[in-house]
Amino acid sequence: MAKEIVINAEKDQTRIAIVEKDELVEMYFEGPENERTLGDIFLGRVRRVLPNIQAAFVDIGQKSDAFLHFSDLSDNLPLINEFLSAEHPEVGTTKITASPHKRIRRHRPLHGRRRNGAGQAPKSEDRQKRSGSRPTAEERHRRRSAQRRPAHTANQKSQGDNKQKQAQPPVSLETLLKPGSSILVKIVKEPISNKGSRVSTDISLAGRFVVLVPLGDYVAVSRRIQSYKERRRLRALAKSLLPKGFGLIVRTVADGQNAKALDTDMRLLLEKWRRIEKKLQEKAQPPVLLHEDVSMVSSIIRDLFSEEFEQILIDNPRLHRNVKNYIHAVAPHVAPRVKLHKGPEHIFARAKIDKSVQEAFESRVNLASGGYLIIEHTEAMHVVDVNSGRAGKGLSQEENSLRVNLESARAIAKQLRLRDLGGIIVVDFIDLRDDRNRRKVFDELRREFRKDRAVTKVLPMSDFGLVQITRQRLRPSITTTSTSTGDAVTDNGKPAEVELAVPQDLPKAVVEKKKDPRRFETPDKVVNRMEKWLERFRAARKKGPLSLHVHPFTAAFLTRNVPSQLTKWSLKYRLRIHLVSNDDIDPMKFSFFDRAGNDITFPKRTAKTDGTPRSERKDGGPRAVKPRTPPRKQGRPAGRPQPKKAEN
């Protein structure tokens, strides 16, 4: 399969595209508004512990407190707390027990299990009571043997169990997580909308070939390595390199690598951990960032690049040099595949994915058969609606529905992967009467989702034609949008325009100005006017960076989402747009300036403007037309005296 990585690096943003068979399948971007925080390690402070929801909130210095679920607590959490409380924190001096997972007592429901004063009732007795039948001979023999057993034997056994429990006393979660205490956490899911990051106490450092686990004391090999002989070789190799006090996980890309490659990668990770220990030894007060993971480009190269990729195309010379040096260090034989893009043509246009990049931000996705998809985002889930459109000429209703649904299933799997949509997704397919056809659509979805690296679960189609999908979500989607909960809406769900009362004693000109609907339109309509201007600008084949001057309130509205509206415009129209806030501009108006500082919002104007429409300007309005003088009647010219009649 032909694969390549295309990287577009600009001043304020970097975009990474994964291409398979000349089709865009994945896309990532990184900039000042959405910096990558996945994998960062913090020394946080526990804010609240809520046993009723099995979670705690941790302050790590971000806008919102991080969410720590009890299921994300590692088994070696007592060892981590002991490591943090040491005077000189160092992994090599912390004693690791043989089975640390037995030291945590988790509160789990019994799920209906019957318990009495002596403990849980035997299953045979429960079965007997439910069925009402007599016990079998084997059960009667077991019961008589238990009755004949000496009492001191049972007491000795119970005493032995108590001694074993005293050797490893269980520790409750309330003891490990106390409000105000310090805790070492790692971000496993980036913040989305108003929700904070999700963190875990399972601390690890990922490299190219191995993953270093402090206080782990175990060796594991990736399950994707199928060969038993290779797995055994890598396990033995990792055990020989394992440092004291650490665990090691061998990654899939380590298949076929020698000891030198694994040892070099592990030593780099050890140096990173030593820097973390040094920060902890300085007694830094939480919250503090201990380790910042690599950038988005480095993580993509580290985790995805393999022998299957034919090339890495980069349009930035400096980034090209850094990536090539890294590839030359870890895999010298594939370093020539890193290429630099030169020329006036955009790098996405050269890779023939420019149209796919624009379609990734559209809510409508057209299908080859004539049907189309509508993808919408709500607070709780993503919703996909399948429409037949003009497809299916000459086919029966069932055949047409099946054909469109199968094509939609392939397109949905592709769009979810491309847009990185996570959480709950509900798909409304066209109704199918035959159960076999429903099964075909379900199988097609599962087959397409096997290509996705994210963990995805699909439920069969319901009687209403709905398919429920859950997809792993680690970062915000590239098309994530959030709506303000305080906006007024009309009956049809659209934002309502604000109407203000006009005093009766104002002059007529002022009243007409206040009644101008443009002055009280919603921010969404202002954004729509900006986008229409950009469409006309690109339709005229104009290029170059632009500066958008708006009121600070409008600027906040444009940058409130992740990604922001400016980011979407930059990706859609391939323009660099710089936002400038100006208090003197009306909140409902805007101005675009070119590189030279000329106002190009309206044609044939170079002076600065505040975005006032041409029809409202004194110098740009329609010229006053003088009323035409009615034509004179035919006859003697005016002003000449009429001749007198001759006298007889």
Side-chain angles (χ1 to χ4, degrees), residues 435-536:
D435 292 339
R436 291 178 298 179
N437 293 337
R438 295 181 182 178
R439 184 69 186 183
K440 289 180 181 179
V441 177
F442 173 68
D443 293 340
E444 187 70 19
L445 272 176
R446 295 182 60 184
R447 189 180 304 110
E448 292 296 324
F449 277 125
R450 292 194 187 105
K451 305 175 184 178
D452 196 350
R453 295 186 299 113
V455 179
T456 308
K457 296 181 180 179
V458 186
L459 295 182
M461 184 181 296
S462 66
D463 295 338
F464 298 103
L466 301 179
V467 173
Q468 303 174 56
I469 305 171
T470 59
R471 187 175 182 273
Q472 183 184 17
R473 177 168 55 189
L474 300 178
R475 64 188 62 86
S477 165
I478 63 175
T479 57
T480 298
T481 56
S482 59
T483 56
S484 175
T485 57
D487 295 339
V489 295
T490 58
D491 295 337
N492 57 1
K494 296 182 179 180
E497 294 187 0
V498 182
E499 296 183 0
L500 301 180
V502 181
Q504 299 295 331
D505 56 347
L506 291 178
K508 183 177 180 180
V510 178
V511 172
E512 294 297 331
K513 187 176 182 180
K514 285 187 173 291
K515 287 184 178 180
D516 182 9
R518 188 185 296 274
R519 295 184 58 83
F520 306 114
E521 62 186 357
T522 60
D524 292 327
K525 291 189 176 182
V526 180
V527 173
N528 290 337
R529 288 198 287 120
M530 296 180 187
E531 186 163 6
K532 289 181 180 179
W533 188 94
L534 290 172
E535 290 178 356
R536 293 193 298 267

Side-chain angles (χ1 to χ4, degrees), residues 43-47 57-60 179-183 285-287:
L43 178 64
R45 178 185 289 109
V46 179
R47 281 286 186 90
F57 289 92
V58 183
D59 179 17
I60 59 175
S181 61
S182 300
I183 187 171
Q285 295 298 323

Side-chain angles (χ1 to χ4, degrees), residues 65-90:
D65 291 341
F67 179 79
L68 174 61
H69 196 267
F70 287 174
S71 61
D72 294 324
L73 295 175
S74 58
D75 295 331
N76 60 350
L77 180 58
L79 297 178
I80 295 177
N81 290 344
E82 182 181 349
F83 165 76
L84 291 177
S85 60
E87 185 68 22
H88 191 76
E90 190 175 349

Side-chain angles (χ1 to χ4, degrees), residues 298-413:
S298 301
S299 66
I300 294 296
I301 301 298
R302 180 192 65 189
D303 300 336
L304 296 184
F305 184 69
S306 61
E307 298 287 346
E308 299 178 353
F309 287 85
E310 293 184 351
Q311 68 172 353
I312 301 178
L313 193 60
I314 308 174
D315 62 355
N316 185 281
R318 182 178 179 181
L319 182 60
H320 168 264
R321 184 170 58 255
N322 295 338
V323 172
K324 193 165 187 176
N325 292 338
Y326 173 76
I327 296 296
H328 185 76
V330 298
H333 61 286
V334 295
R337 300 183 185 180
V338 183
K339 301 178 181 179
L340 178 64
H341 168 69
K342 298 180 181 179
E345 187 181 18
H346 196 274
I347 188 172
F348 285 166
R350 176 181 173 181
K352 300 179 182 180
I353 59 173
D354 49 344
K355 293 183 179 180
S356 300
V357 172
Q358 296 181 12
E359 292 175 355
F361 295 91
E362 300 291 341
S363 60
R364 173 167 174 159
V365 179
N366 295 319
L367 304 178
S369 62
Y372 60 93
L373 307 176
I374 299 295
I375 303 176
E376 297 290 344
H377 169 71
T378 66
E379 186 69 20
M381 67 186 72
H382 297 277
V383 182
V384 183
D385 184 28
V386 180
N387 298 278
S388 60
R390 61 179 185 276
K393 294 183 179 180
L395 300 176
S396 64
Q397 180 180 358
E398 186 74 8
E399 292 175 349
N400 178 44
S401 300
L402 177 61
R403 178 184 175 185
V404 175
N405 284 343
L406 290 176
E407 185 182 7
S408 301
R410 293 187 289 269
I412 288 170

Side-chain angles (χ1 to χ4, degrees), residues 42-262:
F42 290 84
L43 178 64
R45 178 185 289 109
V46 179
R47 281 286 186 90
R48 291 177 296 168
V49 180
L50 304 176
N52 54 342
I53 64 172
Q54 297 284 293
F57 289 92
V58 183
D59 179 17
I60 59 175
Q62 294 182 347
K63 183 178 180 181
S64 302
D65 291 341
F67 179 79
L68 174 61
H69 196 267
F70 287 174
S71 61
D72 294 324
L73 295 175
S74 58
D75 295 331
N76 60 350
L77 180 58
L79 297 178
I80 295 177
N81 290 344
E82 182 181 349
F83 165 76
L84 291 177
S85 60
E87 185 68 22
H88 191 76
E90 190 175 349
V91 170
T93 59
T94 304
K95 185 178 180 181
I96 302 178
T97 57
S99 54
H101 61 279
K102 295 182 180 180
R103 299 186 60 185
I104 300 180
R105 182 175 69 238
R106 302 178 185 270
H107 299 280
R108 295 178 179 175
L110 299 178
H111 300 292
R113 292 182 296 178
R114 299 182 59 185
R115 300 184 65 90
N116 50 26
Q120 184 177 357
K123 294 183 179 180
S124 59
E125 295 182 8
D126 289 346
R127 192 182 303 110
Q128 176 187 348
K129 291 179 181 179
R130 289 194 300 267
S131 61
S133 59
R134 299 180 61 182
T136 61
E138 183 181 357
E139 292 174 352
R140 289 196 300 269
H141 175 71
R142 190 185 305 112
R143 193 178 303 171
R144 285 195 297 268
S145 300
Q147 293 174 356
R148 297 193 194 101
R149 188 178 302 161
H152 65 86
T153 305
N155 293 336
Q156 290 177 358
K157 184 177 181 181
S158 62
Q159 291 177 2
D161 295 341
N162 293 334
K163 290 181 180 180
Q164 185 177 2
K165 291 181 180 179
Q166 291 177 2
Q168 293 182 352
V171 181
S172 63
L173 295 177
E174 287 78 3
T175 306
L176 297 175
L177 298 177
K178 294 182 179 180
S181 61
S182 300
I183 187 171
L184 200 63
V185 294
K186 174 184 176 181
I187 294 182
V188 295
K189 183 183 292 186
E190 294 181 349
I192 300 174
S193 186
N194 296 327
K195 301 178 182 178
S197 302
R198 182 162 182 168
V199 295
S200 171
T201 60
D202 191 2
I203 308 300
S204 61
L205 296 175
R208 170 70 175 171
F209 302 117
V210 296
V211 178
L212 188 67
V213 185
L215 301 172
D217 195 23
Y218 65 88
V219 173
V221 181
S222 174
R223 296 179 180 178
R224 296 186 180 181
I225 300 178
Q226 302 294 336
S227 174
Y228 173 76
K229 186 177 181 180
E230 179 65 15
R231 291 176 60 88
R232 186 173 61 179
R233 184 188 74 87
L234 291 174
R235 187 182 298 274
L237 191 60
K239 285 183 178 180
S240 63
L241 301 174
L242 186 66
K244 181 181 178 181
F246 291 89
L248 211 59
I249 301 175
V250 183
R251 307 188 68 178
T252 307
V253 292
D255 189 2
Q257 298 294 329
N258 53 18
K260 182 179 179 180
L262 270 63

Side-chain angles (χ1 to χ4, degrees), residues 624-632:
V625 180
K626 296 181 180 180
R628 296 182 60 184
T629 305
R632 297 190 183 97

